[in-house]
């Protein structure tokens, strides 16, 4: 590979990773502002419902662009099929639980604690892999999970000591982590229904989610909250809501692109590093002062998560299920 081609490759990787960081971090701050900011809307189900609506609209826009400029935009046909919808419904139930608990966690905890609050997804991955799929995990991976649990416990302890601990937010974070892990399993099961097309899966999944959210909003009294919401006619509020929906749609695409131009291991490490940057940025943005041991808890979770990603990558490469990071990077087409 020539120096110029290598330079172009590195520039592309840097651009994709930077975009992933920007979209992911911005999405968290936007949702936090919507859920507990100055113009907060005490209707987390409606917020997530609206973001699903924006995702569906984005799918139709991309399909229109694919017809208009097919040589530049590629997107599958969106011919609705009730049979596919039914096959994807179990995934959608898990999806609704996942994003609902994630947003409830974010509503009740500070952004700086959000990563710690949802840090047990790796641990649940190991547990669900064993109990549902019957696959055993190596001692090295279990050790990494133990480090993550230690960091989580220490983080909760330090939040409690500082007086900012939220029991409900922490419980929502744990449930969110559980459903994140379940979502991975159910996504694999639902893929054959859409012939492996992630965009079609996104389309059907969000349609089902909208259907599921409507009765939930009625049961939990969010319609009354919406009617009494003073900023309902504020264009800035709707701009923020739309921004959250678009960024939620974009994160799925940029995540896949980051994996494509780097490797699964690099993606996991990038996500871990992004979480560290997000935590530091949140403490600065909200002028929070944290103790030494609070920072230690973050480091334990981050190191445990990164180490687990590396251990699993090596194990999968050894089993010839996945190429090593070096091979994946060298074979990546740009």
């Amino acid at each position: 590979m020539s120096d110029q081609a290598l330079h172009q490759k590195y520039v592309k990787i840097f651009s994709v990773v930077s975009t992933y960081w920007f979209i992911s971090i911005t999405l968290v701050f936007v949702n936090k502002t919507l859920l507990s900011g100055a113009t907060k809307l005490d209707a987390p189900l409606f917020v997530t419902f609206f973001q699903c609506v924006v995702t569906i609209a984005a799918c139709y826009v991309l399909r229109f662009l694919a017809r208009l400029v097919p040589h530049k935009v590629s997107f599958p046909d969106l011919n609705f099929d009730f049979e596919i919808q039914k096959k994807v419904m179990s995934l959608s139930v898990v999806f609704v639980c996942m994003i609902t608990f994630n947003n409830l966690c974010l509503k009740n905890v500070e952004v700086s604690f959000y990563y710690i609050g949802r840090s047990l997804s790796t641990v649940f991955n190991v547990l669900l892999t064993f109990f549902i799929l019957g696959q055993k995990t190596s001692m090295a991976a279990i050790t990494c999970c133990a480090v993550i649990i230690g960091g989580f416990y220490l983080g909760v302890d330090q939040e409690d000591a500082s007086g900012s601990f939220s029991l409900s937010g922490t419980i929502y974070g744990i449930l969110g982590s559980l459903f994140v892990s379940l979502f991975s399993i159910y996504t694999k099961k639902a893929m054959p229904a859409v012939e492996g097309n992630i965009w079609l899966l996104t389309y059907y999944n969000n349609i089902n989610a909208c259907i599921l959210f409507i009765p939930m909003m009625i049961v939990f009294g969010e319609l009354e909250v919406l009617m009494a919401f003073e900023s309902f006619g504020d264009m800035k509020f709707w701009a923020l809501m739309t921004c959250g929906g678009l960024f939620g749609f974009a994160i799925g695409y940029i995540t896949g692109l980051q994996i494509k131009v780097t490797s699964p291991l690099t993606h996991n490490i990038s996500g871990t590093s992004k979480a560290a940057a997000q935590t530091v940025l949140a403490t600065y943005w909200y002028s929070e002062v944290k103790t030494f041991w609070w920072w230690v808890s973050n480091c334990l979770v981050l190191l445990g998560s990164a180490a687990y990603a590396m251990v699993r990558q090596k194990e999968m490469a050894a089993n010839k299920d996945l190429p090593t990071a070096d091979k994946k990077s060298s074979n990546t087409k740009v």
Side-chain angles (χ1 to χ4, degrees), residues 242-264:
T242 305
C243 179
L246 291 175
F247 273 59
F249 176 77
I251 193 65
Y253 172 75
I254 199 65
T255 296
L257 185 59
Q258 180 172 242
I259 295 172
K260 180 180 178 181
V261 302
T262 59
S263 69

Side-chain angles (χ1 to χ4, degrees), residues 119-149 177-178 180-182 184-185 304-305 307-309 311-312 315:
S119 62
L120 297 182
S121 57
T122 299
V123 178
F124 282 120
N125 276 337
V126 172
L127 293 174
L128 294 175
T129 297
F130 177 75
F131 287 109
I132 295 179
L133 303 179
Q135 298 176 3
K136 295 183 178 180
T137 305
S138 68
M139 186 55 65
I142 292 175
T143 302
C144 294
C145 289
V147 173
I148 294 172
I149 293 173
S177 299
L178 171 61
V180 165
S181 301
L182 283 171
S184 300
I185 294 174
S305 300
Y308 177 82
V311 166
R312 289 296 298 139
E315 291 174 352

Side-chain angles (χ1 to χ4, degrees), residues 291-319:
T291 65
F292 169 77
W293 289 110
W294 186 91
W295 288 106
V296 170
S297 71
N298 276 268
C299 290
L300 286 174
V301 172
L302 291 166
L303 290 173
S305 300
Y308 177 82
M310 296 178 70
V311 166
R312 289 296 298 139
Q313 176 79 0
K314 290 180 179 178
E315 291 174 352
M316 294 173 74
N319 293 330

